[in-house]
Amino acid sequence: MQKKNATVHLLILDPSQNDAETLVSLLRNSGKATRAHRITSEEDLEEVLKSGNWDLLLARDVDDEFGADEALAMVRRMDKDIPFILLMAEESRERKVGIMKAGAQDAVPFDYTNQLVLTVNREISALEERRRRRVLESHLREAEQRCQLLLESSKDAIAYINDGMHIYANQSYMDFLGYDDIDELICIPVLDTLTPKSQERYKEFMKRFTEKGEDGMALNCTARRSDDQELKVTMSVSSATYDGEFCTQIVLQPEHSDAELEEKLRQISSQDLLTGLYNRQYLMDALSETIARAGKDNQTGALAYIALDNFITMKGQVGIAGADLLLGDLAALLKETAGEDATLARLSDDAFCMMCLPCDEKNMEERAERVRKAIEDNLFDINGRTVPMTVSIGVAAITENSPKAEELLGRAHTASSDVKKQDGHAQGNSVLVYNPADYETLDSSNSVETIQKALEDNSFRLLFQPIINLRGEGEEHYEAFVRMLDKDGQEVSPYDFLPPLGPSETAIKIDRWVILNTIKQLANHRSHGHDTRLFINITAETLQDKTFTPWLSVALKAVRLPGDVLILQVREGDANNYMKQVKEFTKAVHELHCKVSISQFGCALNPFNTFKHVNADFVKLDGSFTEEIQKSDNAKAQVKEMIKTLQNSGKLSIIPLVENASILATLWQAGVNYIQGYYLQAPGREMNYDFGEG
């Protein structure tokens, strides 16, 4: 499925149209796909709040007939979950406190653009979390209802207790203990359903359960039925919730003679038979539980991934049997040095894991270093032969903010692999702590260097996605995209890592690299008889570069291509921010016979104003319209009207993010000229779409 950037539906209360446009541009330039509506009156706000779903309201703090305070009061009165940010003329602590007491999320001076972007990002993230929580709560209620039905129909004797009293029991539980009415059982303490001898054991057992909190703990005891008949049972307990309250679930089963055998089988299923340590499945289950506990109790733990250096070479020297002996000795050494509170597991032939909770990453780093040193100093004797062994250990913290078990294990594995990238450790034999800030983001201090290196190494990758004429005409169009590999080996756009305000020369270099390499590939493609044209995206920096069009003219002549094979695509936000430059740019590229396209169209407050100054040939609507016309008749009518206006002004329209056939009839009826999306083809390395299929 094609990745979409979530569109922010924005309300702006500002008497100035230009200032409102500035806010829209600010958010778009910060990477937010934005659809905005400027509030013009109290009636207007009430209408849009009733008719649409909005993500943010930005209100200028100016004296007006309908001002920020009145707008906030209306949002509160209509009980809408819409983050409200006041844009003050100047910093005022008193005003900020007052508006936040009234229900606003924050107040930021209008000119503090960097702070405003950060505040918007925070509030949008918080809104997404609230919406996600509401969905999950709905799913939870449904799941609890299903569980209740399962409990009531279960053949197992199950009850919930709180403070030693029954608060729920299913029919099987009541039948097991000989009670007819749940109201009768609710008045009876659990202790009264046990024999006197078992009552003391039950008290000690529940004390241990409270301290350890290990679900599935079991107690063999004797139950006493309502008719005073005694039954030997196994009582297992686990934490649960009932009617939103924390409680304990107990399950009663007749005591079986093979309980000890079942426990042994359970242990065997969780063990690695070669080393006696836990196996991978047990570790992943335990890691999931540990992450959950860390989140619930706000604890901190740590995971260490222990990779054996040069294991394949060593295995070739000592053979399979010798390698098995070494792994057994290594497991014994790990048990000696890891600490009694550590969970040890073998993940694969050449990897082990060590997990602790509570334990911070600093403590785990020290433990890992002790393990590493012990292994390095140990003389492994395999069939009379001394085998040296070292390990590379990656450490990852387990916190309340940790990802799922698989991803957390991946973090520790990544750190372990990167040990060999450190100076002096090409063969491994070191410990490295995973720092999310280093691995998961490229900030302004290192992103430009990374992009520059990719340019120098020619390691960018070009992808092409077809754009199809919906009217069935046999034209061949593609849009070109550029990708580079991030630290996790994932394809990303280098533009995403450029600082918002530059440096401009880096964006220009990327644009020129893309154009130069795409037209080379296009020239080769057209030499095989294809009449193909390319859409190429242009940044705001290139729009302002007066040397660009002379350079483009020379580049086209060098590969012997006419100018009409290129459609240079400009974002609507950039066109509005640099109107004069775009007007000159459009004129210059038209002289080269190139075409111009406006992308992300329809997000400005008055999008058609752009065409008063920019003579565009193609217009690509913002991708958010594609999603909305499948859900809303109002959106369908809006898109149809936009397409009609574009046709009347001689513009060819493109709809992106088309992912299924069901939307095609709507687009056809609306008069759309071109479509693009994963329904046709995902971006690929080759221009190989069969345009004859349509």
Side-chain angles (χ1 to χ4, degrees):
M1 187 174 184
Q2 191 161 356
K3 180 181 178 182
K4 305 182 184 73
N5 290 323
T7 302
V8 176
H9 291 77
L10 172 67
L11 291 172
I12 300 176
L13 180 63
D14 195 320
S16 168
Q17 173 84 15
N18 290 336
D19 286 347
E21 290 281 10
T22 299
L23 290 172
V24 174
S25 298
L26 175 67
L27 296 185
R28 289 201 69 90
N29 291 338
S30 71
K32 285 274 184 293
T34 307
R35 293 271 298 283
H37 173 82
R38 187 169 74 92
I39 303 163
T40 55
S41 65
E42 180 178 1
E43 294 76 15
D44 181 30
L45 176 59
E46 184 171 9
E47 180 63 29
V48 296
L49 288 178
K50 289 179 179 177
S51 61
N53 293 318
W54 301 95
D55 304 316
L56 184 67
L57 198 160
L58 300 178
R60 285 293 293 274
D61 193 17
V62 295
D63 291 330
D64 212 338
E65 183 178 347
F66 182 67
D69 296 275
E70 290 78 15
L72 177 58
M74 181 177 290
V75 172
R76 296 293 303 278
R77 175 173 60 81
M78 298 180 68
D79 197 23
K80 294 291 186 180
D81 185 9
I82 303 174
F84 186 102
I85 300 175
L86 180 71
L87 304 178
M88 301 181 292
E90 57 185 19
E91 183 72 60
S92 171
R93 182 176 180 181
E94 182 179 353
R95 178 60 170 146
K96 180 171 184 174
V97 171
I99 198 74
M100 291 182 71
K101 282 184 177 180
Q105 274 61 45
D106 210 336
V108 179
F110 181 81
D111 294 333
Y112 290 14
T113 54
N114 289 339
Q115 182 180 343
L116 177 58
V117 169
L118 293 173
T119 303
V120 167
N121 289 341
R122 182 194 68 204
E123 294 305 325
I124 292 297
S125 296
L127 177 65
E128 291 172 352
E129 289 300 324
R130 290 197 298 274
R131 288 173 173 171
R132 190 177 298 115
R133 187 193 69 222
R134 287 195 283 266
V135 171
L136 292 175
E137 286 174 347
S138 175
H139 292 332
L140 177 60
R141 285 193 296 272
E142 294 173 0
E144 287 177 337
Q145 291 172 357
R146 291 193 296 270
C147 288
Q148 185 68 23
L149 293 173
L150 291 172
L151 281 172
E152 292 171 356
S153 61
S154 175
K155 293 182 180 180
D156 290 331
I158 303 172
Y160 289 160
I161 62 172
N162 191 7
D163 291 333
M165 302 293 291
H166 290 92
I167 59 174
Y168 167 81
N170 67 357
Q171 189 62 48
S172 296
Y173 187 92
M174 291 189 292
D175 292 342
F176 193 84
L177 293 180
Y179 290 90
D180 297 323
D181 191 347
I182 183 64
D183 292 333
E184 181 183 358
L185 184 62
I186 284 178
C187 299
I188 298 176
V190 177
L191 284 174
D192 288 355
T193 65
L194 301 173
T195 61
K197 186 176 180 180
S198 292
Q199 289 177 2
E200 293 302 318
R201 296 177 59 200
Y202 170 79
K203 291 178 183 178
E204 290 296 323
F205 171 72
M206 292 305 294
K207 183 179 179 181
R208 293 199 306 274
F209 174 69
T210 301
E211 293 173 351
K212 294 185 177 181
E214 295 179 3
D215 289 346
M217 291 178 62
L219 169 70
N220 291 327
C221 57
T222 304
R224 184 170 60 189
R225 286 168 47 91
S226 61
D227 57 7
D228 290 332
Q229 181 183 350
E230 296 182 359
L231 297 172
K232 290 190 177 296
V233 298
T234 298
M235 177 191 293
S236 57
V237 297
S238 57
S239 300
T241 58
Y242 186 74
D243 281 344
E245 298 292 332
F246 289 107
C247 61
T248 302
Q249 175 185 282
I250 61 174
V251 180
L252 298 182
Q253 293 177 320
E255 186 175 317
H256 295 295
S257 59
D258 59 353
E260 185 176 348
L261 175 60
E262 290 180 0
E263 176 61 21
K264 288 183 178 180
L265 290 174
R266 188 189 66 80
Q267 291 179 357
I268 290 173
S269 68
S270 65
Q271 279 187 340
D272 173 63
L273 298 181
L274 177 63
T275 62
L277 304 180
Y278 289 117
N279 57 23
R280 182 186 183 92
Q281 184 57 52
Y282 178 90
L283 186 277
M284 297 309 294
D285 292 342
L287 181 56
S288 296
E289 292 179 7
T290 301
I291 293 171
R293 285 174 56 196
K296 177 182 176 183
D297 302 331
N298 199 28
Q299 291 183 313
T300 299
L303 180 74
Y305 187 98
I306 306 169
L308 279 60
D309 298 324
N310 304 315
F311 179 73
I312 300 300
T313 302
M314 182 276 298
K315 190 174 182 179
Q317 295 172 349
V318 301
I320 295 176
D324 287 349
L325 290 174
L326 184 142
L327 291 173
D329 291 346
L330 180 59
L333 185 59
L334 287 175
K335 290 178 182 178
E336 291 178 11
T337 55
E340 294 183 358
D341 59 336
T343 298
L344 292 169
R346 182 187 177 210
L347 300 181
S348 63
D349 279 352
D350 60 348
F352 293 79
C353 238
M354 177 169 61
M355 180 179 70
C356 288
L357 182 84
C359 171
D360 58 29
E361 62 182 31
K362 183 66 176 176
N363 181 277
M364 179 60 86
E365 184 180 12
E366 293 171 355
R367 291 187 191 217
E369 178 57 30
R370 288 200 301 270
V371 168
R372 184 206 63 78
K373 187 71 166 57
I375 293 173
E376 181 186 30
D377 294 343
N378 191 68
L379 299 177
F380 293 94
D381 190 344
I382 308 300
N383 298 325
R385 178 177 180 175
T386 300
V387 178
M389 177 59 63
T390 61
V391 291
S392 297
I393 305 178
V395 175
I398 303 172
T399 69
E400 75 280 359
N401 197 40
S402 289
K404 293 181 179 179
E406 293 79 5
E407 187 175 343
L408 187 66
L409 180 62
R411 289 182 171 185
H413 176 263
T414 297
S416 172
S417 299
D418 283 357
V419 163
K420 295 181 180 179
K421 297 179 182 179
Q422 294 179 305
D423 291 341
H425 293 283
Q427 300 301 315
N429 194 25
S430 186
V431 177
L432 182 63
V433 176
Y434 182 95
N435 183 348
D438 292 338
Y439 286 91
E440 296 173 10
T441 61
L442 285 171
D443 58 31
S444 58
S445 66
N446 60 20
S447 59
V448 175
E449 295 177 5
T450 303
I451 294 170
Q452 184 62 42
K453 188 175 188 304
L455 282 168
E456 294 171 355
D457 296 344
N458 202 33
S459 60
F460 282 157
R461 180 176 299 170
L462 288 173
L463 301 177
F464 302 92
Q465 187 175 39
I467 298 176
I468 310 303
N469 192 314
L470 196 56
R471 304 290 143 183
E473 300 173 16
E475 303 173 62
E476 296 188 11
H477 288 96
Y478 289 92
E479 181 171 356
F481 302 95
V482 61
R483 296 291 181 263
M484 59 181 277
L485 296 180
D486 65 10
K487 292 182 177 180
D488 296 323
Q490 301 296 313
E491 288 186 351
V492 295
S493 170
Y495 297 109
D496 292 343
F497 297 115
L498 287 176
L501 301 178
S504 59
E505 62 271 12
T506 306
I508 292 172
K509 287 179 182 178
I510 298 174
D511 284 354
R512 294 197 179 191
W513 186 95
V514 172
I515 291 173
L516 198 57
N517 285 275
T518 52
I519 62 176
K520 286 180 182 178
Q521 197 160 334
L522 178 61
N524 180 61
H525 185 68
R526 287 173 63 91
S527 69
H528 293 85
H530 298 280
D531 187 20
T532 303
R533 289 168 172 77
L534 278 181
F535 285 75
I536 300 179
N537 293 286
I538 299 298
T539 62
E541 289 77 8
T542 292
L543 291 174
Q544 303 169 74
D545 179 13
K546 295 184 182 298
T547 68
F548 172 72
T549 45
W551 173 87
L552 178 61
S553 176
V554 172
L556 287 170
K557 290 176 182 177
V559 293
R560 298 183 179 181
L561 282 178
D564 63 3
V565 300
L566 294 186
I567 302 101
L568 302 178
Q569 192 158 254
V570 179
R571 296 187 305 168
E572 179 188 65
D574 292 336
N576 289 327
N577 289 338
Y578 305 99
M579 191 69 74
K580 181 180 178 181
Q581 292 91 332
V582 174
K583 184 178 181 180
E584 296 173 354
F585 173 86
T586 303
K587 181 181 178 181
V589 298
H590 275 159
E591 290 176 357
L592 297 178
H593 304 291
C594 299
K595 304 291 186 183
V596 174
S597 174
I598 301 293
S599 65
Q600 299 179 352
F601 181 79
C603 295
L605 294 174
N606 292 298
F608 289 97
N609 283 345
T610 305
F611 302 130
K612 293 180 180 179
H613 308 282
V614 180
N615 183 22
D617 306 283
F618 294 82
V619 175
K620 182 193 289 187
L621 268 65
D622 188 73
S624 59
F625 288 104
T626 312
E627 182 178 359
E628 291 179 8
I629 60 178
Q630 300 176 77
K631 301 176 181 178
S632 165
D633 290 337
N634 289 336
K636 287 182 182 178
Q638 183 184 5
V639 169
K640 190 172 182 179
E641 185 62 31
M642 292 175 69
I643 297 298
K644 182 179 178 180
T645 305
L646 290 172
Q647 286 178 333
N648 292 338
S649 59
K651 314 298 181 188
L652 295 171
S653 56
I654 307 170
I655 295 289
L657 301 182
V658 176
E659 295 194 347
N660 55 69
S662 62
I663 195 178
L664 295 182
T666 300
L667 300 180
W668 172 272
Q669 293 169 3
V672 171
N673 299 105
Y674 297 89
I675 58 173
Q676 175 184 11
Y678 276 43
Y679 169 68
L680 303 170
Q681 191 179 78
R685 300 290 295 275
E686 305 294 333
M687 289 182 274
N688 57 7
Y689 184 80
D690 185 359
F691 287 87
E693 289 181 346

